[in-house]
């Protein structure tokens, strides 16, 4: 009996042209025609183990992806391969599957390629999305890696107490906006910094921060923090690094905690800025700890339940910045590093 011929589709891809040692530019990436792709898991892939073919619907732009664009093997995640599709978190629809846990038509989230269709050969890393009133794209932010980063960073690293003073840098971004709202729900006093007056107003009016400031308008960051935290900072959620971290160290309270989530100011910098005020760690007995969300995956189900309830109860709001079309991906990603995005940056590949 002849085997039925699988339907085919064109598969566009965004590939990395070559490694870089500076801030990314749009022309570091290229949209190419990947040719036809059969809409079925290839027999060779199926023989090697269960696999899932997905049609990508939404792709996530995240600052950590910058580090994968350099030829460096010493990180917790390997670099991209020049000439191959960029990888990142995505939401897709299953087209075909040889894994018993996934069926055609299922919506899933997980690591995928920047392309129309991706063959996932490690489907155990995918999560099935139960369709609900929450938009699919929110599984890349509010209910995805950024939201989970905010959740474990705030509760597990910062060990917050009601009434404490919390500062969040890059506060209008995918992680910062959620940290600030969790801190308010916990009964803390919260201040955020951002790079435009529009974002400052967003922090105060939409996300409910007690105060916020435009760091670009402050000639002396340490003095600015002293103004907003006359009694000092108990918790700093670190997203920026560089001069901001230096200024925060001078304004921390005794036994303060710093959760080091990211240092976007140092991405693409060939000579990273040094930190001059580390002695504060000793004199103020500060706990400063770096973390990545994947170390805490045992908490993910609890996180989804808690954040979903907060969102449905109207206690957490969420803002995303949506670019349309796979071809818009490079510009959307590069814009992260100049603060063009307002909220979580997502690329919509397809609504199908």
């Amino acid at each position: 009996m002849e085997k039925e011929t699988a339907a085919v589709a064109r598969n566009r891809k965004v590939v990395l042209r070559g490694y870089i040692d500076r801030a990314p530019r749009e022309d570091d990436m290229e949209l190419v025609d990947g040719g036809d792709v059969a809409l079925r898991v290839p027999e060779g892939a199926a023989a090697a183990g269960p696999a899932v073919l997905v049609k990508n619907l939404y792709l996530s732009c995240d600052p950590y992806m910058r580090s994968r664009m350099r030829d460096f093997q010493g990180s917790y995640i390997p670099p991209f391969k020049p000439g191959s599709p960029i990888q990142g978190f995505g939401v897709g629809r299953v087209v075909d599957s040889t894994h018993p846990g996934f069926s055609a038509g299922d919506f899933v989230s997980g690591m995928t390629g920047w392309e129309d269709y991706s063959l996932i050969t490690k489907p155990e890393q995918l999560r099935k999305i139960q369709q609900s009133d929450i938009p699919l794209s929110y599984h890349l932010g509010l209910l995805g890696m950024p939201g989970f980063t905010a959740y474990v960073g705030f509760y597990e690293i910062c060990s917050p107490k009601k009434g404490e003073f919390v500062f969040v840098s890059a506060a209008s971004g995918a992680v910062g906006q959620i940290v600030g709202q969790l801190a308010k729900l916990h009964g803390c006093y919260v201040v955020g910094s951002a790079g435009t007056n529009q974002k400052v107003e967003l922090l105060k009016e939409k996300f409910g921060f007690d105060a916020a400031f435009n760091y670009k308008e402050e000639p002396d960051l340490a003095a600015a923090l002293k103004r907003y935290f006359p009694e000092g900072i108990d918790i700093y959620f670190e997203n920026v690094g560089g001069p901001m971290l230096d200024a925060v160290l001078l304004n921390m309270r005794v036994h303060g905690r710093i959760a080091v989530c990211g240092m976007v100011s140092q991405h693409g910098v060939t000579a990273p800025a040094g930190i001059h005020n580390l002695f504060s760690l000793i004199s103020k007995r500060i706990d400063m700890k770096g973390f990545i969300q994947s170390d805490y995956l045992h908490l993910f189900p609890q996180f989804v339940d808690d954040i979903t309830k907060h969102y449905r109860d109207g206690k957490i709001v969420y803002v995303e910045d949506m670019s349309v079309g796979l071809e818009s991906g490079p510009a959307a990603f590069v814009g992260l590093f100049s603060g063009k995005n307002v909220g979580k940056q997502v690329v919509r590949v397809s609504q199908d």
Side-chain angles (χ1 to χ4, degrees):
M1 181 176 178
E2 287 189 13
K3 188 166 185 178
E4 181 184 349
T5 301
V8 298
R10 294 304 271 188
N11 194 27
R12 301 169 302 158
K13 305 168 181 281
V14 174
V15 302
L16 179 67
R17 298 179 68 180
Y19 290 126
I20 59 174
D21 58 1
R22 49 165 170 74
R25 300 192 303 245
E26 288 183 48
D27 61 4
D28 294 321
M29 296 157 276
E30 183 179 14
L31 181 68
V32 300
D33 185 348
D36 288 338
V37 58
L39 300 183
R40 175 183 290 164
V41 173
E43 289 185 17
V52 176
L53 180 68
V54 301
K55 180 173 185 179
N56 292 310
L57 305 179
Y58 299 96
L59 300 173
S60 178
C61 295
D62 297 297
Y64 82 90
M65 296 165 64
R66 160 65 187 93
S67 63
R68 301 190 69 186
M69 300 176 82
R70 58 185 180 134
D71 188 10
F72 178 66
Q73 302 292 334
S75 182
Y76 62 91
I77 190 168
F80 297 136
K81 294 180 180 178
S84 295
I86 286 172
Q87 295 175 315
F89 290 100
V91 165
R93 176 175 53 81
V94 175
V95 176
D96 188 31
S97 171
T98 58
H99 188 287
F102 302 99
S103 302
D106 287 345
F107 290 101
V108 294
S109 65
M111 192 65 70
T112 188
W114 276 34
E115 53 192 346
D116 291 304
Y117 295 90
S118 292
L119 182 66
I120 310 297
T121 56
K122 294 182 179 179
E124 65 276 5
Q125 297 178 358
L126 293 175
R127 292 191 183 93
K128 189 182 295 187
I129 296 173
Q130 301 301 325
Q131 286 189 271
S132 67
D133 56 318
I134 298 177
L136 283 173
S137 60
Y138 282 25
H139 290 270
L140 294 179
L142 180 68
L143 295 175
M145 182 272 288
F148 189 46
T149 298
Y151 186 87
V152 299
F154 183 64
Y155 290 118
E156 298 298 309
I157 307 297
C158 296
S159 302
K161 302 179 185 65
K162 184 178 179 179
E164 290 193 310
F165 299 98
V166 178
F167 176 54
V168 185
S169 57
S172 68
V175 175
Q177 60 174 276
I178 299 173
V179 173
Q181 293 179 83
L182 291 177
K184 286 301 299 176
L185 286 173
H186 203 75
C188 298
Y189 175 82
V190 187
V191 177
S193 66
T196 70
N197 291 332
Q198 175 195 9
K199 293 179 180 179
V200 167
E201 289 307 307
L202 189 70
L203 292 175
K204 294 186 292 186
E205 301 301 324
K206 191 169 185 70
F207 299 137
F209 283 56
D210 294 289
F213 64 92
N214 184 341
Y215 71 90
K216 294 180 180 177
E217 295 182 349
E218 298 291 345
D220 185 333
L221 291 173
L225 290 170
K226 183 68 175 177
R227 189 167 74 245
Y228 286 98
F229 295 99
E231 297 179 54
I233 300 167
D234 292 296
I235 290 172
Y236 173 43
F237 203 96
E238 164 66 296
N239 290 308
V240 173
M244 184 65 83
L245 175 58
D246 238 352
V248 168
L249 285 168
L250 293 176
N251 283 276
M252 292 295 293
R253 300 180 80 180
V254 172
H255 298 303
R257 286 86 70 206
I258 299 175
V260 184
C261 170
M263 293 192 173
V264 72
S265 74
Q266 303 304 295
H267 285 229
V269 176
T270 53
I275 303 300
H276 302 90
N277 298 320
L278 287 176
F279 185 77
S280 295
L281 296 177
I282 302 170
S283 60
K284 298 179 180 181
R285 283 84 84 198
I286 298 167
D287 288 332
M288 185 164 74
K289 182 176 180 178
F291 73 101
I292 56 175
Q293 53 84 28
S294 57
D295 290 340
Y296 298 86
L297 290 178
H298 60 286
L299 296 174
F300 196 86
Q302 175 187 322
F303 149 74
V304 171
D305 288 346
D306 288 350
I307 298 299
T308 298
K309 185 176 188 306
H310 288 325
Y311 178 75
R312 287 181 172 148
D313 290 346
K315 294 180 178 179
I316 281 184
V317 295
Y318 179 65
V319 171
E320 64 180 5
D321 195 326
M322 184 78 72
S323 296
V324 179
L326 184 60
E327 65 279 0
S328 72
F333 174 69
V334 170
L336 291 176
F337 302 96
S338 58
K340 287 186 178 180
N341 60 301
V342 178
K344 167 64 185 166
Q345 184 65 65
V346 175
V347 176
R348 190 182 80 198
V349 181
S350 171
Q351 286 187 305
D352 182 12

